Amino acid sequence: MKKRAGDYGQRPPRVFVLDCEALSLAVRGDRKMIAWLDLAARDEAEVVTSPMTLVEAYDGRTTEQRWDWVLSRLKVADIGKDEARQARRLLSDAKLHGHKYAIDAVLAVIARQQKGQVTVFTSDVDDLEKLVPNSIVVRKV
């Protein structure tokens, strides 16, 4: 395949998928997570999460202003019936079930939909590694 003139030197986009703990760390001002969010603010990466993760990560002690700042740096993926089916299939294939794994399965579907170099930031490395292909990096927070 022949490369076009503009393709030389371009890296695939970086995409970071955040689970509840990763999002909570960002909202609490964790330096490492803020550094990843800053890449998104500079258009060097995209940060994605699920709507359920927003609900799960909510902590009443955090100000609305802080939440709004973090949310301004990430994309919330649209989740519908098709994604729910995919998540259910992932759980079945991994021989997992129940609410403990539900949001992880949805995050895995979101991660699989992304284009580029995808990294999932999670506190549940073992669970997520069962749900995503080896091409997706799973990183402990």
mmCIF file of all heavy atoms in Angstrom, residues 63-81:
data_model
loop_
_atom_site.group_PDB
_atom_site.id
_atom_site.type_symbol
_atom_site.label_atom_id
_atom_site.label_comp_id
_atom_site.label_asym_id
_atom_site.label_seq_id
_atom_site.Cartn_x
_atom_site.Cartn_y
_atom_site.Cartn_z
ATOM 1 N N THR A 63 -16.706 19.308 44.168
ATOM 2 C CA THR A 63 -17.501 20.440 43.686
ATOM 3 C C THR A 63 -17.950 20.220 42.243
ATOM 4 O O THR A 63 -17.289 19.530 41.472
ATOM 5 C CB THR A 63 -16.701 21.755 43.745
ATOM 6 O OG1 THR A 63 -15.612 21.671 42.821
ATOM 7 C CG2 THR A 63 -16.191 22.034 45.156
ATOM 8 N N GLU A 64 -19.059 20.836 41.898
ATOM 9 C CA GLU A 64 -19.573 20.790 40.528
ATOM 10 C C GLU A 64 -18.543 21.382 39.570
ATOM 11 O O GLU A 64 -18.377 20.896 38.455
ATOM 12 C CB GLU A 64 -20.832 21.631 40.478
ATOM 13 C CG GLU A 64 -22.134 21.100 40.003
ATOM 14 C CD GLU A 64 -22.338 19.664 39.666
ATOM 15 O OE1 GLU A 64 -22.538 18.851 40.567
ATOM 16 O OE2 GLU A 64 -22.372 19.353 38.472
ATOM 17 N N GLN A 65 -17.863 22.424 40.007
ATOM 18 C CA GLN A 65 -16.853 23.080 39.165
ATOM 19 C C GLN A 65 -15.739 22.095 38.812
ATOM 20 O O GLN A 65 -15.288 22.043 37.679
ATOM 21 C CB GLN A 65 -16.280 24.295 39.893
ATOM 22 C CG GLN A 65 -15.252 25.051 39.104
ATOM 23 C CD GLN A 65 -14.702 26.244 39.880
ATOM 24 O OE1 GLN A 65 -14.961 26.417 41.057
ATOM 25 N NE2 GLN A 65 -13.918 27.057 39.192
ATOM 26 N N ARG A 66 -15.312 21.313 39.773
ATOM 27 C CA ARG A 66 -14.255 20.322 39.524
ATOM 28 C C ARG A 66 -14.739 19.257 38.553
ATOM 29 O O ARG A 66 -14.023 18.862 37.632
ATOM 30 C CB ARG A 66 -13.820 19.687 40.854
ATOM 31 C CG ARG A 66 -12.665 18.771 40.741
ATOM 32 C CD ARG A 66 -11.413 19.552 40.412
ATOM 33 N NE ARG A 66 -10.341 18.610 40.128
ATOM 34 C CZ ARG A 66 -9.173 18.958 39.663
ATOM 35 N NH1 ARG A 66 -8.906 20.227 39.447
ATOM 36 N NH2 ARG A 66 -8.267 18.067 39.417
ATOM 37 N N TRP A 67 -15.965 18.754 38.751
ATOM 38 C CA TRP A 67 -16.548 17.771 37.833
ATOM 39 C C TRP A 67 -16.609 18.341 36.422
ATOM 40 O O TRP A 67 -16.248 17.680 35.455
ATOM 41 C CB TRP A 67 -17.953 17.365 38.285
ATOM 42 C CG TRP A 67 -17.950 16.177 39.166
ATOM 43 C CD1 TRP A 67 -18.045 16.170 40.523
ATOM 44 C CD2 TRP A 67 -17.838 14.807 38.767
ATOM 45 N NE1 TRP A 67 -17.997 14.880 40.986
ATOM 46 C CE2 TRP A 67 -17.877 14.022 39.933
ATOM 47 C CE3 TRP A 67 -17.708 14.172 37.536
ATOM 48 C CZ2 TRP A 67 -17.789 12.636 39.903
ATOM 49 C CZ3 TRP A 67 -17.623 12.790 37.502
ATOM 50 C CH2 TRP A 67 -17.663 12.040 38.675
ATOM 51 N N ASP A 68 -17.108 19.568 36.299
ATOM 52 C CA ASP A 68 -17.241 20.194 34.983
ATOM 53 C C ASP A 68 -15.889 20.330 34.291
ATOM 54 O O ASP A 68 -15.781 20.127 33.085
ATOM 55 C CB ASP A 68 -17.903 21.573 35.099
ATOM 56 C CG ASP A 68 -19.373 21.471 35.473
ATOM 57 O OD1 ASP A 68 -19.955 20.364 35.365
ATOM 58 O OD2 ASP A 68 -19.939 22.509 35.887
ATOM 59 N N TRP A 69 -14.845 20.669 35.046
ATOM 60 C CA TRP A 69 -13.513 20.811 34.464
ATOM 61 C C TRP A 69 -13.043 19.475 33.886
ATOM 62 O O TRP A 69 -12.560 19.411 32.762
ATOM 63 C CB TRP A 69 -12.517 21.312 35.524
ATOM 64 C CG TRP A 69 -11.155 21.531 34.958
ATOM 65 C CD1 TRP A 69 -10.711 22.658 34.326
ATOM 66 C CD2 TRP A 69 -10.072 20.604 34.957
ATOM 67 N NE1 TRP A 69 -9.401 22.476 33.927
ATOM 68 C CE2 TRP A 69 -8.988 21.218 34.304
ATOM 69 C CE3 TRP A 69 -9.904 19.306 35.442
ATOM 70 C CZ2 TRP A 69 -7.763 20.602 34.119
ATOM 71 C CZ3 TRP A 69 -8.690 18.682 35.257
ATOM 72 C CH2 TRP A 69 -7.626 19.325 34.604
ATOM 73 N N VAL A 70 -13.189 18.390 34.661
ATOM 74 C CA VAL A 70 -12.774 17.066 34.184
ATOM 75 C C VAL A 70 -13.625 16.645 32.994
ATOM 76 O O VAL A 70 -13.103 16.180 31.974
ATOM 77 C CB VAL A 70 -12.825 16.022 35.318
ATOM 78 C CG1 VAL A 70 -12.603 14.618 34.777
ATOM 79 C CG2 VAL A 70 -11.782 16.341 36.388
ATOM 80 N N LEU A 71 -14.940 16.810 33.089
ATOM 81 C CA LEU A 71 -15.827 16.408 31.997
ATOM 82 C C LEU A 71 -15.556 17.182 30.716
ATOM 83 O O LEU A 71 -15.774 16.652 29.620
ATOM 84 C CB LEU A 71 -17.291 16.562 32.411
ATOM 85 C CG LEU A 71 -17.769 15.623 33.510
ATOM 86 C CD1 LEU A 71 -19.219 15.891 33.849
ATOM 87 C CD2 LEU A 71 -17.570 14.174 33.126
ATOM 88 N N SER A 72 -15.050 18.391 30.828
ATOM 89 C CA SER A 72 -14.742 19.178 29.630
ATOM 90 C C SER A 72 -13.576 18.582 28.847
ATOM 91 O O SER A 72 -13.379 18.921 27.683
ATOM 92 C CB SER A 72 -14.428 20.630 30.006
ATOM 93 O OG SER A 72 -13.153 20.728 30.618
ATOM 94 N N ARG A 73 -12.840 17.685 29.455
ATOM 95 C CA ARG A 73 -11.682 17.084 28.812
ATOM 96 C C ARG A 73 -11.927 15.652 28.334
ATOM 97 O O ARG A 73 -11.009 14.999 27.867
ATOM 98 C CB ARG A 73 -10.493 17.117 29.765
ATOM 99 C CG ARG A 73 -9.878 18.497 29.791
ATOM 100 C CD ARG A 73 -9.125 18.780 31.054
ATOM 101 N NE ARG A 73 -8.419 20.047 30.952
ATOM 102 C CZ ARG A 73 -8.983 21.243 30.975
ATOM 103 N NH1 ARG A 73 -10.287 21.360 31.057
ATOM 104 N NH2 ARG A 73 -8.272 22.342 30.898
ATOM 105 N N LEU A 74 -13.144 15.177 28.471
ATOM 106 C CA LEU A 74 -13.392 13.810 28.021
ATOM 107 C C LEU A 74 -14.683 13.690 27.240
ATOM 108 O O LEU A 74 -15.530 14.576 27.255
ATOM 109 C CB LEU A 74 -13.362 12.825 29.191
ATOM 110 C CG LEU A 74 -14.309 13.004 30.363
ATOM 111 C CD1 LEU A 74 -15.619 12.307 30.099
ATOM 112 C CD2 LEU A 74 -13.669 12.405 31.596
ATOM 113 N N LYS A 75 -14.767 12.578 26.540
ATOM 114 C CA LYS A 75 -15.943 12.251 25.739
ATOM 115 C C LYS A 75 -16.693 11.136 26.469
ATOM 116 O O LYS A 75 -16.073 10.188 26.953
ATOM 117 C CB LYS A 75 -15.477 11.769 24.369
ATOM 118 C CG LYS A 75 -16.554 11.265 23.469
ATOM 119 C CD LYS A 75 -15.926 10.735 22.187
ATOM 120 C CE LYS A 75 -16.896 9.787 21.505
ATOM 121 N NZ LYS A 75 -16.249 8.988 20.487
ATOM 122 N N VAL A 76 -17.997 11.257 26.535
ATOM 123 C CA VAL A 76 -18.828 10.210 27.114
ATOM 124 C C VAL A 76 -19.438 9.441 25.942
ATOM 125 O O VAL A 76 -20.154 10.020 25.123
ATOM 126 C CB VAL A 76 -19.919 10.788 28.033
ATOM 127 C CG1 VAL A 76 -20.788 9.679 28.602
ATOM 128 C CG2 VAL A 76 -19.282 11.611 29.156
ATOM 129 N N ALA A 77 -19.112 8.170 25.855
ATOM 130 C CA ALA A 77 -19.563 7.346 24.733
ATOM 131 C C ALA A 77 -21.064 7.121 24.794
ATOM 132 O O ALA A 77 -21.645 6.984 25.871
ATOM 133 C CB ALA A 77 -18.831 6.012 24.757
ATOM 134 N N ASP A 78 -21.670 7.077 23.622
ATOM 135 C CA ASP A 78 -23.095 6.732 23.532
ATOM 136 C C ASP A 78 -23.229 5.220 23.675
ATOM 137 O O ASP A 78 -22.541 4.464 22.992
ATOM 138 C CB ASP A 78 -23.671 7.164 22.183
ATOM 139 C CG ASP A 78 -23.767 8.673 22.049
ATOM 140 O OD1 ASP A 78 -23.967 9.345 23.076
ATOM 141 O OD2 ASP A 78 -23.627 9.177 20.926
ATOM 142 N N ILE A 79 -24.108 4.814 24.554
ATOM 143 C CA ILE A 79 -24.327 3.387 24.813
ATOM 144 C C ILE A 79 -25.797 3.075 24.543
ATOM 145 O O ILE A 79 -26.679 3.741 25.072
ATOM 146 C CB ILE A 79 -23.997 3.036 26.287
ATOM 147 C CG1 ILE A 79 -22.557 3.391 26.613
ATOM 148 C CG2 ILE A 79 -24.277 1.576 26.575
ATOM 149 C CD1 ILE A 79 -21.537 2.660 25.778
ATOM 150 N N GLY A 80 -26.012 2.066 23.740
ATOM 151 C CA GLY A 80 -27.376 1.655 23.423
ATOM 152 C C GLY A 80 -27.512 0.146 23.463
ATOM 153 O O GLY A 80 -26.677 -0.568 24.027
ATOM 154 N N LYS A 81 -28.557 -0.333 22.835
ATOM 155 C CA LYS A 81 -28.883 -1.746 22.845
ATOM 156 C C LYS A 81 -27.775 -2.599 22.223
ATOM 157 O O LYS A 81 -27.426 -3.658 22.751
ATOM 158 C CB LYS A 81 -30.190 -1.958 22.080
ATOM 159 C CG LYS A 81 -30.856 -3.280 22.332
ATOM 160 C CD LYS A 81 -32.114 -3.481 21.499
ATOM 161 C CE LYS A 81 -33.084 -2.340 21.596
ATOM 162 N NZ LYS A 81 -34.338 -2.579 20.838
#
